[in-house]
């Protein structure tokens, strides 16, 4: 009988990681029955449904509808609801992706019920424990049976934390599979034209890290720098709901809307967003996934953070960490051509989902050993 595999999807960056794996498992239904469990962490149509349509996913088989809340409310809410689901019918595998609160919550539930657990995008570390995601990553990796990593630095981090070598498998970067899955539609997408943007003549901005947007002084400084940048480069800012809330709360929204060089838009679906990124002169962000996508596409990426859990985008890619007050000068350097070209890291090749499916199949054959690790 086919094995039931829960694929946990919760927030925007999860959908690009789950979709390629769902499609790979959907092709091998003789042994795999993939079930998409949406926790409901993100719920606005443009933070959730849009990605199911873009990435050709079926509607979630289960939606736990947890929504927003404090860390404890969200994590606890997902745990309570997900435990009920697993108790009603235990899956053969639980696959969690990335580093959001739902990743941690479902991982804890799975292991307390002694269910085999795999973590896709394991081993990333920013070494900044003030980031909620870093806590989620450390705990999830400590308890998962199988750790699928995107890059050698992730393997090293795990080995350094004492993880047994047989639990670690380097599979590559699954985000790139999503890009390749819909590359034709991205390349044909008219979003830049619709916004009146010409290739290479605009910058894309996304921000949502609490460290940048929850502190009025820091957010105000970033808004000031964006305004300066907009004199030399037109900017399109796709505003995350957390960030919109903060801009409104701190009275900063008018300072952006009054800038003729900045276009504020709602968060975009994946295809529309990538259509913008691939034609951008540069990207200003604090997103994890966008650091990787810009490295893949060889687009300069200015990351408004002082650490990254994705150091390979610095050593091999187009990413640079920038302090908020250095943003305008760094953009000037990039516009002057003073920015390194990157190369695509090994195994960022659009075939990660195949490798993950093969790994899951191998481990399913000897699942008892894995479950008792
Ligand atoms: C979450 C993840 C973060 C990830 C990001 C991707 C955690 C701790 N954080 O951050 O790692 O990078 O998603 O985007 O898991 N909201 C809406 N509509 C939605 C979702 C959220 O309005 O569909 C608003 C709510 O006011 C909510 C706030 O955004 O309180 C923050 O949402 P939440 O999921 O708690 O954290 P994110 O900042 O989105
Ligand atoms: N993204 C998108 N629309 C947007 C902004 C981002 O589709 O308006 C995509 C982006 O291409 C990447 C993912 O969302 O695939 C990254 O998610 P996010 O930045 O929310 O989370 P993080 O990666 O920081 O956890």
């Amino acid at each position: 009988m086919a094995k039931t595999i829960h694929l946990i999807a919760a927030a925007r960056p999860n959908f690009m990681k789950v979709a390629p794996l769902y499609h790979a498992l959907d092709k091998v239904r003789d042994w795999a029955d993939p079930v998409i469990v949406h926790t409901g962490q993100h719920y606005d149509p443009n933070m959730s449904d849009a990605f199911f349509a873009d990435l050709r996913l079926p509607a979630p088989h289960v939606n736990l509808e947890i929504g927003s809340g404090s860390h404890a409310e969200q994590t606890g809410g997902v745990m309570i609801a997900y435990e009920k689901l697993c108790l009603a019918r235990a899956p053969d595998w639980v696959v969690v992706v990335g580093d959001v609160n739902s990743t941690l919550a479902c991982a804890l539930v799975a292991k307390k019920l002694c269910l085999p657990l795999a973590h896709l995008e394991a081993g990333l570390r920013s070494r900044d424990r003030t980031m909620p995601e870093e806590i989620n990553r450390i705990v999830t990796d400590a308890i998962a049976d199988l750790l699928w990593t995107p890059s050698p630095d992730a393997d090293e981090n795990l080995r350094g934390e004492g993880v047994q070598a047989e639990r670690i498998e380097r599979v590559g970067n699954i985000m790139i599979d999503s890009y390749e899955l819909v590359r034709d539609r991205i390349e044909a997408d008219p979003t830049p034209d619709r916004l009146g943007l010409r290739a290479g003549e605009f910058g894309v901005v996304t921000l949502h890290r609490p460290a940048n947007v929850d502190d009025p002084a820091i957010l105000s400084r970033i808004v000031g720098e964006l305004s300066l940048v907009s004199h030399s480069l037109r900017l399109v800012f796709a505003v995350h709901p957390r960030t919109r809330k903060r801009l409104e709360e701190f009275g900063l929204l008018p300072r952006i809307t009054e800038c003729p060089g900045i276009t504020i838009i709602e968060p975009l679906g994946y295809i529309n967003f990538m259509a913008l990124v691939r034609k951008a002169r540069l990207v200003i962000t604090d997103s994890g996934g966008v650091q990787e996508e810009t490295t893949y596409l060889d687009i300069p990426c200015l990351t408004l953070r002082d650490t990254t859990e994705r150091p390979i985008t610095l050593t091999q890619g187009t990413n640079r960490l920038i302090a908020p007050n250095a943003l305008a000068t760094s953009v000037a350097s990039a516009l002057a051509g003073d920015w390194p070209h990157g190369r695509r890291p090994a195994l960022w090749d659009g075939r990660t989902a195949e490798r993950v499916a093969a790994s899951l199949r191998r481990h399913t054959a000897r699942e008892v050993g894995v479950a008792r690790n």
Side-chain angles (χ1 to χ4, degrees):
M1 206 168 88
K3 301 290 180 187
T4 303
I5 301 161
H6 280 184
L7 303 178
I8 309 297
R12 179 166 72 185
N14 296 160
F15 308 125
M16 301 76 178
K17 296 166 196 171
V18 161
L21 182 54
Y22 177 83
H23 292 302
L25 294 173
D26 193 39
K27 288 189 194 136
V28 289
R29 284 202 168 261
D30 56 317
W31 72 270
D33 177 19
V35 173
I36 300 176
V37 179
H38 194 325
T39 68
Q41 179 169 342
H42 282 176
Y43 43 84
D44 287 346
N46 59 5
M47 294 296 287
S48 177
D49 296 2
F51 301 95
F52 282 77
D54 277 1
L55 300 167
R56 299 194 189 101
L57 284 172
H61 302 95
V62 179
N63 193 326
L64 305 177
E65 295 182 350
I66 294 308
S68 306
S70 70
H71 285 282
E73 284 164 348
Q74 200 169 54
T75 310
V78 172
M79 286 185 71
I80 293 166
Y82 186 56
E83 185 184 54
K84 285 192 182 128
L85 180 72
C86 291
L87 287 174
R89 189 168 168 235
D92 297 289
W93 274 98
V94 176
V95 176
V96 294
V97 303
D99 54 16
V100 301
N101 282 345
S102 304
T103 308
L104 167 68
C106 294
L108 284 170
V109 168
K111 285 323 297 174
K112 292 288 181 84
L113 295 175
C114 297
L115 298 171
L117 171 69
H119 184 203
L120 178 52
E121 200 187 78
L124 299 185
R125 295 290 182 270
S126 66
R127 306 195 198 289
D128 174 1
R129 290 194 179 196
T130 66
M131 282 184 83
E133 295 82 3
E134 184 75 351
I135 306 300
N136 296 342
R137 292 188 278 257
I138 291 169
V139 179
T140 303
D141 287 343
I143 60 177
D145 299 295
L146 198 46
L147 298 162
W148 290 312
T149 62
S151 45
D153 54 279
D155 299 20
E156 266 170 48
N157 291 334
L158 293 171
R159 282 197 298 267
E161 290 171 17
V163 175
Q164 307 93 308
E166 60 272 21
R167 282 168 61 205
I168 306 170
E169 283 187 34
R170 191 173 334 140
V171 291
N173 190 332
I174 193 96
M175 300 282 282
I176 305 309
D177 289 37
S178 269
Y179 188 85
E180 291 303 329
L181 188 72
V182 291
R183 172 193 277 277
D184 293 351
R185 287 158 69 209
I186 292 169
E187 289 178 353
D189 187 83
T191 300
D193 292 343
R194 237 185 20 234
L195 292 168
L197 301 166
R198 297 227 306 248
E201 296 184 2
F202 65 95
V204 172
V205 182
T206 76
L207 295 171
H208 69 275
R209 293 281 156 226
N212 281 332
V213 307
D214 286 0
D215 179 320
I218 296 176
L219 188 55
S220 171
R221 171 163 292 180
I222 292 175
V223 167
E225 290 282 319
L226 291 176
S227 154
L228 272 179
V229 168
S230 73
H231 297 302
S232 49
L233 182 69
R234 182 151 171 216
L235 297 178
V236 188
F237 186 178
V239 185
H240 187 284
R242 171 189 286 276
T243 310
R244 179 170 289 276
K245 211 165 91 179
R246 296 302 186 218
L247 287 168
E248 285 168 358
E249 198 179 316
F250 304 151
L252 291 168
L253 204 50
R255 276 178 57 196
I256 304 188
T257 48
E258 282 158 14
C259 279
I262 305 183
T263 305
I264 292 267
I265 55 173
E266 290 296 310
L268 292 172
Y270 178 72
I271 290 175
N272 298 162
F273 184 73
M274 290 314 302
L276 276 186
V277 168
R278 71 180 278 272
K279 291 207 166 158
R281 180 70 184 79
L282 52 82
V283 174
I284 298 168
T285 193
D286 58 15
S287 159
V290 175
Q291 294 173 58
E292 299 177 334
E293 290 160 343
T294 44
T295 274
Y296 189 63
L297 296 172
D298 199 19
I299 306 279
C301 182
L302 289 78
T303 296
L304 286 171
R305 290 178 45 188
D306 50 16
T307 58
T308 178
E309 58 291 327
R310 293 160 162 92
I312 202 164
T313 61
L314 302 174
T315 53
Q316 296 189 23
T318 55
N319 188 25
R320 293 296 172 266
L321 303 178
I322 307 291
N325 58 7
L327 182 59
T329 49
S330 302
V331 168
S333 302
L335 293 180
D338 181 14
W339 206 265
H341 284 283
R343 61 176 195 277
R344 291 178 174 173
L347 300 182
W348 292 28
D349 58 0
R351 304 190 65 181
T352 293
E354 269 173 46
R355 290 187 282 271
V356 171
S359 164
L360 202 50
R361 185 168 204 168
R362 266 195 325 276
H363 286 275
T364 296
R366 38 188 157 99
E367 75 187 50
V368 174
V370 172
R372 290 196 178 151
N373 249 339

